[in-house]
Amino acid sequence: MTENYDVIIIGSGAGGGTLAYTLADSGKNVLLLERGDFLTREPENWDARAVFVKGRYISKDAWFDRDGKQFQPQVHYFVGGATKLYGAALYRLRPQDFGELKHVSGISPAWPLSYDDFEPWYSKAERLYQVHGNVGEDPTEGHHSEPYPWPAVSHEPRLQEISDGLAKGGYHPFHAPCGILLNEADRPDSTCIRCATCDGYPCLVHAKADAEVIAVRPLLGRPNVTLLRGAEVTRLETDDSGRVVTRVIVSRNGEREVYQGDIVVVCAGAANSAKILLNSANDAHPHGLANGSDQVGRNYMFHNCRAVAALSKEQNDTVFQKTLGINDFYFATKDYQYPAGNIQMVGKSNAEAMRGEQPEETMFAPEWTLSDVAKHSVDFWLTTEDLPVPENRVTTDRDGNIHLTYSPSNAEEVDRLYGEFKKILNHTGMAAHHVWRRNFYMDMDIPLAGCAHQAGTCRFGTDPATSVLDTNCKAHELDNLYVVDTSFFPSIGAVNPALTAMANALRVGDHIQQRMA
Ligand SMILES: Cc1cc2nc3c(=O)[nH]c(=O)nc-3n(C[C@H](O)[C@H](O)[C@H](O)COP(=O)(O)OP(=O)(O)OC[C@H]3O[C@@H](n4cnc5c(N)ncnc54)[C@H](O)[C@@H]3O)c2cc1C
Ligand code: SF4
């Protein structure tokens, strides 16, 4: 007999894990289906070579590009999803990101809801994910109805110098909001040990505020929540009317299993959520479930990101580097009429990690050069918004595989941000060395496979002709189907997406609870 649940959630990452957490108290029977397993705690969690060169935690999935060429996407299938590896920079979108913004390549469209609609859920998400930050330092942020639950993670001396230099130069550096379980006032009792292997690594001591640690693990043992691992959802089936999902088809341990839920929520990540819907085409939905608008899979975004290592003469002994952000170029300035983006720090380089980032250039480089570079580098992460372009899309082939077609947008803004970044180095004591040492910057545009910030394949909106989901993230065309991950983003802004996915999961969770009451 097929088992029936009140709610079935597919995927346990930022969206699905958080949703399960918020629904657990309702007493309703929740089934959480996760294709991955728990990420094993092992020494390799903090081994740069294992993580970056050998790709130990990257899925073996094969996706295909527009030319049908196979590539290995940097996706992570674990309980907790991509948050197991994330840098835990938990930013809110800016209020203006919810409105229409003009970019050099076109328009970043308005969301159907405003920042004020999201604000209470951002506060709740920050509380749940224990975000550390200082309200009021970043001039571009919207109002906060509550302070951050934890004080900002302090800068180490080199970062403090950089922050001071930038402030002196007239910029507005701020402490980056961060979700780690660090108690700086009581380090002996702190779960987080403030180490150098955080951003891009799993946390060996479970001190990162990821979706497994914060949302899913606390539910284990609850009688009304069932977590099934290794459970890959392959297809959703509907009744004849096409209005109701009646069966969730799962492949587990090579076997086909079927589950039923009154409500079904897809939270598999932007590409995989689109894949599930597209692969669930039937007579009532010939182009894929909820895809009468032909929008499922379209508008795929993943940010224009650039990791940049700036070298300085003195050694950079920073351990936990991701403490600083700069949003002075987030919006148009008096010198440039378009938004350029966000600058933040990225995990500290080390020789092994740098080999993994661009093997064709550095894999065979002599060790001493990489070590030297790593010791002296200060590492930044530049993010420019990419636009929701309909032609940038996920499709699936006859075998159900993901094909990803993507062309970048806003390239001029990317260059602009890089130019501004180089200018700000003048204020950080690095430009002098640039001249003195004939300094070089190692910059790497993140390739197609680096889909860490994927979003936008099932955008929400008020018009069923141009959106997949309504403002509650319910599919316009179905009565019991929701999508609650980064798929719902109509635009992506230029800050990291996870907090918005978490806040939205809490928001939709509240709606689902009211619906079930
Ligand atoms: C290295 C790295 C660093 C990052 N750093 C940051 C950061 O600092 N700040 C930030 O905001 N964001 C960061 N991100 C991005 C952030 O992790 C994602 O935006 C966020 O996790 C997306 O949430 P989601 O729910 O959409 O997808 P995910 O968190 O990826 O969850 C999707 C889940 O669905 C599961 N799944 C997929 N297909 C199926 C299926 N068919 N059946 C069942 N289960 C399925 C997956 O295994 C996964 O558990 C980073 C990501 C990476 C990879
Ligand atoms: S810095 Fe803290 S949260 Fe990050 S990996 Fe180290 S112990 Fe874990």
Side-chain angles (χ1 to χ4, degrees):
M1 202 181 79
T2 309
E3 294 174 64
N4 193 75
Y5 291 84
D6 295 311
V7 185
I8 295 180
I9 299 173
I10 301 163
S12 63
T18 310
L19 181 67
Y21 181 89
T22 195
L23 291 181
D25 281 340
S26 68
K28 299 287 181 186
N29 278 324
V30 176
L31 173 64
L32 186 52
L33 296 169
E34 168 54 55
R35 72 182 285 174
D37 203 341
F38 287 117
L39 194 151
T40 301
R41 293 169 73 181
E42 54 186 2
E44 287 88 343
N45 288 177
W46 282 349
D47 177 342
R49 188 167 173 73
V51 173
F52 289 101
V53 182
K54 295 196 170 164
R56 187 172 179 82
Y57 303 109
I58 297 173
S59 136
K60 300 278 177 276
D61 241 11
W63 295 3
F64 298 85
D65 69 12
R66 70 167 80 231
D67 301 319
K69 196 170 150 224
Q70 187 174 318
F71 66 95
Q72 189 184 5
Q74 298 202 9
V75 287
H76 307 88
Y77 298 145
F78 294 104
V79 176
T83 68
K84 286 307 297 172
L85 282 295
Y86 79 165
L90 291 178
Y91 282 79
R92 298 177 176 206
L93 286 168
R94 319 288 95 177
Q96 295 92 321
D97 287 322
F98 291 82
E100 185 176 291
L101 276 173
K102 282 203 178 68
H103 284 264
V104 67
S105 299
I107 297 290
S108 167
W111 289 37
L113 299 177
S114 69
Y115 176 82
D116 286 344
D117 295 318
F118 269 77
E119 199 288 326
W121 305 107
Y122 273 135
S123 288
K124 284 196 168 68
E126 284 165 353
R127 231 183 297 143
L128 178 61
Y129 281 87
Q130 304 193 26
V131 183
H132 294 49
N134 291 343
V135 172
E137 289 183 0
D138 173 0
T140 65
E141 74 181 349
H143 88 274
H144 282 233
S145 54
E146 294 176 24
Y148 284 106
W150 286 85
V153 178
S154 64
H155 295 315
E156 290 174 48
R158 184 72 181 104
L159 267 286
Q160 189 61 56
E161 260 172 38
I162 292 173
S163 178
D164 293 344
L166 290 172
K168 237 175 163 177
Y171 299 100
H172 302 86
F174 56 90
H175 287 88
C178 184
I180 55 176
L181 310 187
L182 175 68
N183 183 350
E184 293 201 80
D186 189 0
R187 286 292 294 271
D189 195 39
S190 174
T191 312
C192 168
I193 62 166
R194 192 174 180 140
C195 70
T197 45
C198 193
D199 194 3
Y201 298 81
C203 179
L204 178 56
V205 296
H206 276 191
K208 199 187 280 190
D210 62 46
E212 179 205 350
V213 169
I214 295 292
V216 179
R217 206 155 267 284
L219 306 183
L220 303 177
R222 291 264 196 123
N224 64 321
V225 180
T226 306
L227 167 67
L228 281 189
R229 294 169 278 142
E232 181 183 353
V233 172
T234 54
R235 183 176 164 81
L236 306 177
E237 292 181 355
T238 69
D239 64 1
D240 289 344
S241 75
R243 294 290 317 177
V244 181
V245 176
T246 49
R247 286 150 55 93
V248 176
I249 313 298
V250 168
S251 166
R252 191 159 75 108
N253 302 325
E255 300 291 320
R256 182 179 184 271
E257 298 178 355
V258 180
Y259 297 91
Q260 287 181 345
D262 294 344
I263 292 175
V264 174
V265 192
V266 182
C267 310
N272 277 300
S273 287
K275 172 183 171 179
I276 291 170
L277 298 187
L278 292 170
N279 288 348
S280 300
N282 60 23
D283 287 347
H285 298 271
H287 305 294
L289 212 53
N291 197 21
S293 61
D294 188 29
Q295 292 298 307
V296 172
R298 292 193 184 273
N299 307 303
Y300 181 93
M301 300 166 278
F302 71 92
H303 275 149
N304 288 303
C305 291
R306 205 174 250 199
V308 185
L311 298 189
S312 59
K313 188 179 79 173
E314 65 275 354
Q315 214 163 290
N316 175 15
D317 293 323
T318 307
V319 176
F320 185 83
Q321 189 168 243
K322 215 172 164 66
T323 58
L324 180 82
I326 304 151
N327 273 338
D328 289 273
F329 318 105
Y330 198 90
F331 297 117
T333 61
K334 65 176 174 32
D335 301 322
Y336 189 59
Q337 59 175 318
Y338 299 112
N342 163 273
I343 299 175
Q344 60 184 272
M345 311 309 295
V346 66
K348 181 78 190 71
S349 287
N350 62 52
E352 292 292 0
M354 288 173 112
R355 284 187 199 213
E357 283 199 10
Q358 207 161 60
E360 69 274 15
E361 280 184 16
T362 57
M363 182 69 93
F364 304 109
E367 181 70 15
W368 67 268
T369 307
L370 286 175
S371 298
D372 189 45
V373 166
K375 272 189 208 135
H376 291 261
S377 71
V378 182
D379 311 83
F380 296 85
W381 179 262
L382 278 50
T383 305
T384 298
E385 179 164 1
D386 58 340
L387 296 178
V389 177
E391 293 73 29
N392 286 348
R393 65 188 296 203
V394 171
T395 51
T396 56
D397 60 25
R398 207 176 299 158
D399 299 323
N401 298 309
I402 289 179
H403 288 242
L404 186 56
T405 303
Y406 182 86
S407 303
S409 53
N410 293 338
E412 183 189 299
E413 294 176 9
V414 176
D415 290 343
R416 182 77 194 190
L417 188 63
Y418 190 47
E420 296 292 358
F421 162 73
K422 285 200 278 190
K423 277 192 230 158
I424 69 170
L425 290 182
N426 289 324
H427 301 274
T428 63
M430 280 182 266
H433 311 133
H434 173 88
V435 176
W436 180 76
R437 272 182 62 123
R438 291 207 316 261
N439 190 13
F440 70 93
Y441 306 100
M442 306 220 338
D443 61 323
M444 308 140 197
D445 290 332
I446 308 298
L448 189 62
C451 43
H453 289 190
Q454 57 180 281
T457 54
C458 301
R459 64 185 180 188
F460 79 155
T462 50
D463 182 356
T466 56
S467 57
V468 178
L469 309 172
D470 68 14
T471 52
N472 289 319
C473 289
K474 185 185 79 63
H476 290 296
E477 296 168 25
L478 287 103
D479 298 330
N480 69 338
L481 176 69
Y482 292 76
V483 181
V484 181
D485 54 20
T486 54
S487 304
F488 86 101
F489 286 33
S491 67
I492 194 170
V495 287
N496 319 48
L499 187 74
T500 301
M502 293 159 179
N504 185 57
L506 296 176
R507 183 183 74 87
V508 177
D510 184 62
H511 155 79
I512 291 176
Q513 289 201 40
Q514 288 180 31
R515 170 180 167 155
M516 290 189 303

